[in-house]
Amino acid sequence: MAPKKISTFLVVLLSVFSSFAQEKFTLSGTIIDANSNETLIGVNVVIPELKTGVTTNEYGFYSITLPKGIYSVQISYLGYQNIEESINLNQNTKNNFNLYSNETALKEVVITGNKTKIDIKKPEMSVNKLSISAIKKMPVVLGEVDVLKSILLLPGVTNAGEGASGFNVRGGGADQNLILLDEATIFNSSHVFGFFSVFNPDAIKDLKLYKGGIPARYGGRASSVLDIYQKDGNSKSFHLNGGIGLISSRILAEGPLVKNKGSFLIGGRSSYAHLFLKLSEEQKNNSAYFYDLNTKLSYKLDSNNSVYLSGYFGRDVFSLNKSFSNIFGNSTLNLRWNHLFSEKLFSNLSLIYSDYYYGLDLDFIGFQWDSGIKNYNIKYDFKNYISDKFKLNYGLNGIYYEFNPGTIKPSNLESGINFDQLDKKYAFEPAVYINADHELSNKIALSYGLRYSMFYRLGQSTVNIYENNNPVIFNPDLQIYEKATPIGTTIYDKNKVIESYNYLEPRFSLAYQINDDQSIKASYNRIVQYLQLISNTSSPTPLDVWTPSDSFIKPQIADQVALGYFKNLENGMYSLEVETYYKEVQNRLDYIDGADLIANKAIEQVILNGQLRSYGLEIMFRKNEGKFNGWVSYTLSKSEQQTPGRTALETGINNGQWYNSVYDKLHNIAITSSYTLNEKWSFGANFALQSGQPVTYPVGQYEYLGITVPSYGLRNKNRLLAYHHLDIAATLTPKSNKDRQWKGEWVFSIYNLYNRKNAASINFRQNVDTGSNEAIKTSIFGIVPAVSYNFKF
């Protein structure tokens, strides 16, 4: 080798070794709201000299390892004043930052960088974050601020129509969404069959919706994750806030247990429309209302340890003339411990309880029916900040489930109804995961991980045995599916394994930064869902029953790929997001014609395992700052289901062909905007337009015993009319708020401004004059004006 080449090689080698030998230290800490000590999620911590940075985790903690030196640290967060501080990093340093909200800014201070622009460099896609302040500006039905209604304005998210509960993500079912409140599972996310969500906006700190590229720490649902965290409570001073509306009101109190160390939060909501029914002689025995309660206790033991206890309890109550009553709702409890092992290793240990209860009392036939699902979850998560270029998340969890498909008992001794307990079902779902965030270069960043999940269907239970292990048989003469007759049963003792599954679930995301303002991102994820919702409606209802996977009901396996282009315009004033995706779900349940799902002791006799596929294009253009801001989103998508025959003789559902799923919406347009006129007045508007819901219409009719009976065509071949509405709102903030502790605002809103009669359903009945079947459209809302008063103290 020539001397010149040797010297060049030695210089390169020495530079490599010197880079590894370069002394490095870690800067870490917690970022909080200066007025309340509330930890802040997703705060940007940027080191401009190195063009690197980090964001705070779910508990406000950050950590970044850098070469020894003097750096400027820039802290920015939406709704707060930016700060910049010079730090001499010559040892491991813990530095906590306090951020002041823009509300407390002096007039002469110029607020910069207060934008929701896209993080171009981060390998995170198919994720939407909404601030509570933005949600509260959106006009909604009945004047109640609603978290779930707000996410329906995002691309790829729809619902099942007017007044429907739940939400659908990228063509998936509402049961395929994992909804978490302080890490606890919420099984029914709506009050009053979809008119309100179960989330009190005053108690919510942060929410994030994952539509794809889902990190390995999440599992158990095939379509999306909605991760919501409650506020910790103000540990500096006592505060009270709430709102009074025409239909419902809410109140929330928070304050210190021990100043600057411990805090409490308690909030409640209730509707009271049923009180107006008492004024009517005809309706005085009827009721329809909901109530819920949010609680949280937080305590900082020392600089490395904090504990939290949070809970939620909610109930809906319906009664009809004292002959029918219905009570249902969620309960959750979470005891959590945050521990900092070192400036690079953060941990969170959680003990979680979640319960969904459904109760029905029918006095006129003399029976009561109770059902529900409970789970007990222990999880331990770690975040290891190995370097500024490489971070690891890993952990494990185990969930024990108890399913009660139904307890039927007499409401009085004279009813003649015997006590009947459908077999309770039990299951255990453990999992371990590891996920890495890896910055390969200034242009390429990766996030990759693996989740290993297991599922055990447990006794105590009696399981039917069928010939050829087939609980559903096909009648070739009538071309229909029928229930098979069991040839025996097997009794499993308590905690005996009936069936087990295990799967590897890989996750991968990549971001390639074209320049400082634009990037291309791609992702893939596999998620396995072991729980199934037994329902034949297009949106969740309180009567729906959850059931575990077993020998007949296979786990759903979802694979999704996505590709996107992201660009910030005009220094982040505008942003553009374009994504395309393709998703397949194996073992998606469908039901045979005439399936009876309620209180069915052998549900396997009426279900078939099919498959689901969905694909689409999502576009979102956002204005991020200024007096006028908002976004426009458009989704072009297709969602289809197939349940083919299992043998050459079987036709399958819909002749074995692909057909529209009930969640299919070809077009979905949403526009939301807000305008701040001055310190006194601000305005908001939403417009939504969706393709009509797929339905099945009759294609003919026949007479049976003198009654004209409709004959229905292929499944979901028809559609309801297009769904659209325009909503507006105006917020009045009195100038006197500045000079007093009690601050209030009036919110005036109109839902469905031009009185669109959207179809909630189409039913068919026999016309008494002509004898022919006729279509009857059911609409829930016309124009709905509302006014509410919000206050804080």
Side-chain angles (χ1 to χ4, degrees):
M1 184 181 290
K4 186 175 181 181
K5 290 184 177 181
I6 293 175
S7 61
T8 303
F9 174 75
L10 290 175
V11 169
V12 172
L13 189 63
L14 287 172
S15 65
V16 170
F17 278 111
S18 64
S19 67
F20 279 107
Q22 189 174 13
E23 204 170 7
K24 291 187 175 183
F25 298 104
T26 299
L27 174 67
S28 63
T30 302
I31 300 180
I32 61 175
D33 183 306
N35 294 318
S36 65
N37 287 335
E38 183 83 35
T39 57
L40 300 175
I41 303 173
V43 178
N44 296 308
V45 181
V46 177
I47 311 298
E49 293 90 346
L50 301 179
K51 293 186 177 180
T52 189
V54 70
T55 59
T56 56
N57 68 6
E58 293 83 359
Y59 312 101
F61 178 77
Y62 76 94
S63 176
I64 186 168
T65 300
L66 306 168
K68 180 180 179 180
I70 299 175
Y71 300 103
S72 295
V73 181
Q74 296 176 351
I75 312 293
S76 63
Y77 190 56
L78 182 65
Y80 286 78
Q81 301 174 50
N82 295 348
I83 60 175
E84 183 170 342
E85 185 174 316
S86 180
I87 290 182
N88 184 6
L89 193 63
N90 54 17
Q91 60 181 350
N92 291 336
T93 303
K94 180 175 287 187
N95 199 331
N96 299 327
F97 291 98
N98 297 333
L99 294 186
Y100 288 89
S101 69
N102 286 341
E103 293 180 358
T104 61
L106 300 176
K107 288 185 178 181
E108 61 269 19
V109 175
V110 178
I111 305 301
T112 61
N114 184 29
K115 306 168 185 176
T116 56
K117 65 180 183 180
I118 308 165
D119 190 337
I120 294 296
K121 200 170 185 179
K122 193 172 183 180
E124 182 181 73
M125 63 179 301
S126 306
V127 177
N128 293 111
K129 306 171 188 176
L130 287 176
S131 67
I132 292 301
S133 60
I135 291 173
K136 288 184 175 182
K137 293 178 181 178
M138 297 178 181
V140 291
V141 64
L142 302 177
E144 174 75 18
V145 174
D146 197 307
V147 170
L148 291 188
K149 294 293 188 298
S150 65
I151 68 173
L152 294 175
L153 298 167
L154 299 171
V157 185
T158 63
N159 65 356
E162 195 81 89
S165 60
F167 58 97
N168 307 109
V169 176
R170 291 185 169 177
D175 62 302
Q176 295 177 323
N177 304 317
L178 177 63
I179 303 174
L180 301 173
L181 179 64
D182 273 355
E183 303 179 331
T185 303
I186 298 294
F187 287 97
N188 190 319
S189 59
S190 298
H191 285 307
V192 199
F193 301 98
F195 294 127
F196 301 91
S197 80
V198 299
F199 306 109
N200 183 343
D202 292 335
I204 302 303
K205 172 164 62 174
D206 181 84
L207 68 90
K208 186 183 289 188
L209 175 67
Y210 296 87
K211 300 178 294 186
I214 299 173
R217 69 179 181 272
Y218 298 108
R221 296 296 186 276
S223 276
S224 75
V225 177
L226 179 61
D227 199 3
I228 301 177
Y229 282 88
Q230 294 188 122
K231 294 163 60 178
D232 296 334
N234 194 316
S235 65
K236 283 197 168 183
S237 58
F238 177 80
H239 289 272
L240 188 72
N241 63 284
I244 302 171
L246 297 177
I247 304 297
S248 66
S249 291
R250 64 190 192 278
I251 191 168
L252 182 138
E254 56 182 324
L257 292 171
V258 177
K259 194 167 185 178
N260 294 323
K261 293 194 69 174
S263 62
F264 74 89
L265 178 146
I266 181 168
R269 290 188 305 168
S270 180
S271 66
Y272 36 74
H274 65 289
L275 298 178
F276 298 107
L277 298 177
K278 306 297 181 183
L279 303 178
S280 168
E281 187 64 29
E282 296 178 354
Q283 303 291 335
K284 66 179 182 179
N285 292 324
N286 300 336
S287 288
Y289 62 94
F290 76 87
Y291 59 91
D292 56 28
L293 180 70
N294 296 79
T295 59
K296 194 165 189 178
L297 299 175
S298 308
Y299 191 79
K300 187 175 182 179
L301 299 173
D302 55 39
S303 60
N304 294 328
N305 294 277
S306 298
V307 292
Y308 307 86
L309 179 64
S310 61
Y312 169 85
F313 180 83
R315 285 292 183 264
D316 281 68
V317 179
F318 293 89
S319 64
L320 184 62
N321 201 28
K322 297 184 178 180
S323 62
F324 166 92
S325 63
N326 183 200
I327 301 176
F328 61 90
N330 301 276
S331 306
T332 69
L333 189 67
N334 183 8
L335 176 61
R336 196 167 74 237
W337 171 45
N338 287 172
H339 176 62
L340 190 63
F341 286 95
S342 70
E343 66 278 354
K344 290 187 176 184
L345 183 57
F346 181 92
S347 71
N348 178 70
L349 174 64
S350 297
L351 303 175
I352 307 166
Y353 168 78
S354 180
D355 175 25
Y356 175 69
Y357 168 79
Y358 178 85
L360 183 65
D361 190 347
L362 299 176
D363 278 351
F364 65 95
I365 57 176
F367 85 84
Q368 297 174 349
W369 185 53
D370 295 333
S371 67
I373 176 174
K374 299 178 181 178
N375 75 39
Y376 307 84
N377 184 6
I378 179 170
K379 60 193 294 286
Y380 205 7
D381 300 300
F382 299 86
K383 189 158 189 175
N384 200 338
Y385 300 82
I386 295 174
S387 73
D388 61 317
K389 305 291 186 183
F390 190 74
K391 303 171 186 66
L392 278 180
N393 292 278
Y394 46 90
L396 68 163
N397 78 289
I399 308 175
Y400 182 81
Y401 296 97
E402 178 183 324
F403 305 81
N404 180 14
T407 304
I408 301 173
K409 53 189 175 183
S411 55
N412 59 72
L413 297 177
E414 291 78 23
S415 65
I417 295 176
N418 297 320
F419 179 91
D420 189 12
Q421 172 65 64
L422 276 67
D423 272 0
K424 290 187 177 181
K425 301 177 182 180
Y426 305 90
F428 180 56
E429 182 182 351
V432 295
Y433 76 89
I434 185 169
N435 199 93
D437 294 322
H438 192 178
E439 188 177 330
L440 292 181
S441 68
N442 289 332
K443 288 186 174 294
I444 301 176
L446 302 176
S447 177
Y448 48 90
L450 187 67
R451 183 180 183 87
Y452 179 58
S453 62
M454 296 152 278
F455 190 81
Y456 301 92
R457 168 76 164 88
L458 304 174
Q460 185 173 12
S461 186
T462 301
V463 178
N464 290 328
I465 302 173
Y466 299 92
E467 187 175 352
N468 299 322
N469 201 34
N470 192 356
V472 182
I473 58 176
F474 183 74
N475 187 325
D477 297 327
L478 299 177
Q479 293 288 294
I480 60 172
Y481 286 95
E482 298 175 336
K483 301 177 183 179
T485 301
I487 59 175
T489 59
T490 300
I491 299 176
Y492 291 87
D493 294 332
K494 191 169 184 179
N495 294 325
K496 181 74 173 178
V497 177
I498 299 173
E499 187 63 84
S500 65
Y501 296 94
N502 61 87
Y503 289 95
L504 288 173
E505 304 176 31
R507 317 287 172 87
F508 178 81
S509 297
L510 175 147
Y512 175 74
Q513 188 174 353
I514 300 171
N515 54 39
D516 289 343
D517 293 319
Q518 56 185 331
S519 66
I520 296 173
K521 300 183 182 184
S523 69
Y524 163 77
N525 63 245
R526 164 169 282 200
I527 298 184
V528 180
Q529 179 170 336
Y530 296 103
L531 305 190
Q532 306 275 10
L533 186 65
I534 304 301
S535 172
N536 56 3
T537 62
S538 56
S539 70
T541 70
L543 198 56
D544 296 336
V545 176
W546 290 89
T547 191
S549 295
D550 56 23
S551 305
F552 306 110
I553 301 175
K554 306 298 182 182
Q556 298 181 68
I557 306 170
D559 293 281
Q560 180 178 235
V561 292
L563 179 67
Y565 171 75
F566 304 83
K567 184 176 178 62
N568 286 317
L569 305 161
E570 299 292 332
N571 195 31
M573 178 176 288
Y574 304 94
S575 58
L576 174 67
E577 305 172 42
V578 181
E579 290 192 38
T580 183
Y581 67 89
Y582 180 83
K583 178 168 61 177
E584 287 185 347
V585 181
Q586 304 174 44
N587 301 324
R588 181 64 176 167
L589 290 185
D590 209 340
Y591 307 96
I592 67 175
D593 292 332
D596 182 13
L597 305 180
I598 305 303
N600 191 333
K601 294 184 178 181
I603 198 70
E604 69 273 5
Q605 295 178 344
V606 295
I607 60 175
L608 295 170
N609 287 303
Q611 56 185 329
L612 176 77
R613 70 182 182 191
S614 61
Y615 44 92
L617 174 70
E618 300 171 357
I619 302 172
M620 186 174 186
F621 182 77
R622 185 195 297 262
K623 187 176 186 296
N624 297 315
E625 64 171 343
K627 286 191 171 184
F628 177 78
N629 54 61
W631 68 79
V632 178
S633 71
Y634 171 69
T635 307
L636 176 67
S637 62
K638 190 68 182 171
S639 176
E640 301 174 300
Q641 196 158 340
Q642 183 190 43
T643 310
R646 298 163 296 181
T647 68
L649 296 177
E650 290 189 23
T651 59
I653 302 294
N654 236 53
N655 296 323
Q657 302 299 310
W658 288 97
Y659 56 94
N660 296 326
S661 76
V662 291
Y663 328 110
D664 179 56
K665 298 288 183 71
L666 182 62
H667 300 286
N668 179 21
I669 300 172
I671 303 172
T672 183
S673 61
S674 62
Y675 177 70
T676 303
L677 179 63
N678 50 42
E679 294 181 357
K680 189 174 181 180
W681 285 100
S682 62
F683 303 91
N686 298 333
F687 175 74
L689 170 63
Q690 299 176 10
S691 298
Q693 193 82 9
V695 291
T696 306
Y697 286 161
V699 295
Q701 60 187 42
Y702 60 92
E703 287 195 7
Y704 179 75
L705 299 178
I707 301 175
T708 302
V709 180
S711 176
Y712 287 86
L714 296 177
R715 194 171 293 192
N716 294 338
K717 187 177 181 180
N718 311 102
R719 288 184 183 274
L720 298 177
L721 296 175
Y723 168 87
H724 55 87
H725 60 87
L726 172 66
D727 317 321
I728 62 172
T731 302
L732 170 62
T733 305
K735 291 184 177 180
S736 57
N737 276 354
K738 291 183 177 181
D739 303 320
R740 57 183 183 181
Q741 289 186 319
W742 181 279
K743 302 180 187 296
E745 65 178 18
W746 290 92
V747 181
F748 309 93
S749 63
I750 300 177
Y751 178 87
N752 196 10
L753 180 64
Y754 52 82
N755 200 29
R756 165 70 175 178
K757 299 292 186 180
N758 287 302
S761 64
I762 299 288
N763 297 308
F764 294 86
R765 69 182 184 188
Q766 184 178 357
N767 186 291
V768 294
D769 297 323
T770 65
S772 299
N773 282 292
E774 60 182 3
I776 303 297
K777 182 178 79 170
T778 301
S779 297
I780 298 177
F781 291 122
I783 184 171
V784 183
V787 60
S788 59
Y789 176 73
N790 299 322
F791 61 88
K792 58 182 177 180
F793 171 76

